């Protein structure tokens, strides 16, 4: 599996009912190679495999990136993105892929993964892996703060008269 490439983070926290279980995961550069050293301006791919140990409808797949102080910096999930995730039976496997530019200042970060869902109005955690991969980014552009907002600047000189 992919996870064998990544050194297990001793600070990782795992919990959940395991009705759905994250059984493999990885962080990949834009060429699809597993990596813990990424360039902020290139595409980064987060993938994980979920095995369903029970029948589940509309699971929510998620990731979060945190700094080393534990501050959540970025992330998303299928519910926020209005992605219909479907219906799964016990034994089903699914590969979840998130593709984006990280746009993070050079530094060290951690990746957390999750699979949750709603049981009525209650959010149930099926499986969460907090800080499962520690990784570094390199940014060659100078920015203020921790996140490159990828601003494009246009200046139009007005001619008076």
């Amino acid at each position: 599996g992919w996870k064998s490439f990544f050194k297990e983070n001793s600070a990782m926290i795992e919990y959940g009912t395991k009705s759905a279980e994250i059984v493999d995961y990885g962080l990949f550069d834009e060429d699809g190679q597993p990596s813990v050293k990424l360039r902020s301006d290139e595409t980064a791919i987060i993938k994980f495999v979920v095995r369903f140990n029970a029948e589940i409808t509309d699971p929510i797949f998620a990731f979060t990136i945190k700094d080393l102080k534990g501050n959540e910096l970025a992330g998303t999930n299928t519910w926020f993105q209005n992605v219909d995730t479907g219906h799964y039976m016990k034994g089903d496997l699914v590969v979840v892929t998130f593709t984006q530019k990280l746009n993070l200042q050079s530094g060290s970060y951690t990746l957390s993964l999750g699979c949750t869902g709603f049981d009525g109005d209650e959010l149930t955690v099926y499986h969460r892996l907090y800080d499962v991969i520690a990784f570094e980014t390199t940014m060659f552009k100078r920015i203020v703060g921790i996140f490159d907002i990828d601003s494009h600047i246009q200046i139009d000189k007005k001619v008076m008269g």
Side-chain angles (χ1 to χ4, degrees):
W2 302 317
K3 68 184 182 181
S4 61
F5 174 87
F6 301 92
K7 184 174 149 246
E8 187 166 312
N9 184 5
S10 59
M12 182 187 85
I13 299 169
E14 173 182 17
Y15 68 97
T17 66
K18 292 206 177 171
S19 299
E21 190 175 353
I22 299 167
V23 294
D24 200 6
Y25 51 80
L27 181 60
F28 304 87
D29 64 20
E30 67 180 16
D31 296 324
Q33 297 303 307
S35 182
V36 291
K37 294 183 184 296
L38 298 168
R39 279 191 44 178
S40 287
D41 59 340
E42 291 183 350
T43 300
I45 303 159
I46 295 163
K47 287 187 188 186
F48 57 98
V49 178
V50 177
R51 181 182 64 223
F52 290 87
N53 298 320
E55 185 176 352
I56 293 176
T57 300
D58 299 327
I60 300 168
F61 305 114
F63 80 89
T64 307
I65 294 171
K66 296 191 289 189
D67 66 16
L68 295 187
K69 294 177 184 164
N71 297 309
E72 292 188 344
L73 303 179
T76 193
N77 67 50
T78 51
W79 188 49
F80 289 169
Q81 300 291 333
N82 294 310
V83 173
D84 181 8
T85 57
H87 182 85
Y88 299 92
M89 302 302 288
K90 181 176 180 174
D92 285 348
L93 286 170
V94 63
V95 178
V96 182
T97 305
F98 291 94
T99 305
Q100 57 279 305
K101 289 193 174 161
L102 296 178
N103 294 330
L104 290 166
Q105 179 67 271
S106 296
S108 298
Y109 303 94
T110 63
L111 175 67
S112 299
L113 305 172
C115 181
T116 62
F118 285 102
D119 185 8
D121 289 340
E122 287 291 309
L123 183 69
T124 300
V125 175
Y126 304 132
H127 200 192
R128 278 195 181 137
L129 298 175
Y130 277 132
D131 305 327
V132 66
I133 296 176
F135 68 97
E136 294 175 17
T137 59
T138 303
M139 179 178 282
F140 295 103
K141 174 158 80 170
R142 295 195 331 202
I143 64 166
V144 175
I146 56 168
F147 178 77
D148 176 11
I149 58 175
D150 198 23
S151 182
H152 296 269
I153 301 169
Q154 179 177 332
I155 299 171
D156 297 311
K157 186 174 184 180
K158 295 288 185 198
V159 178
M160 303 311 274

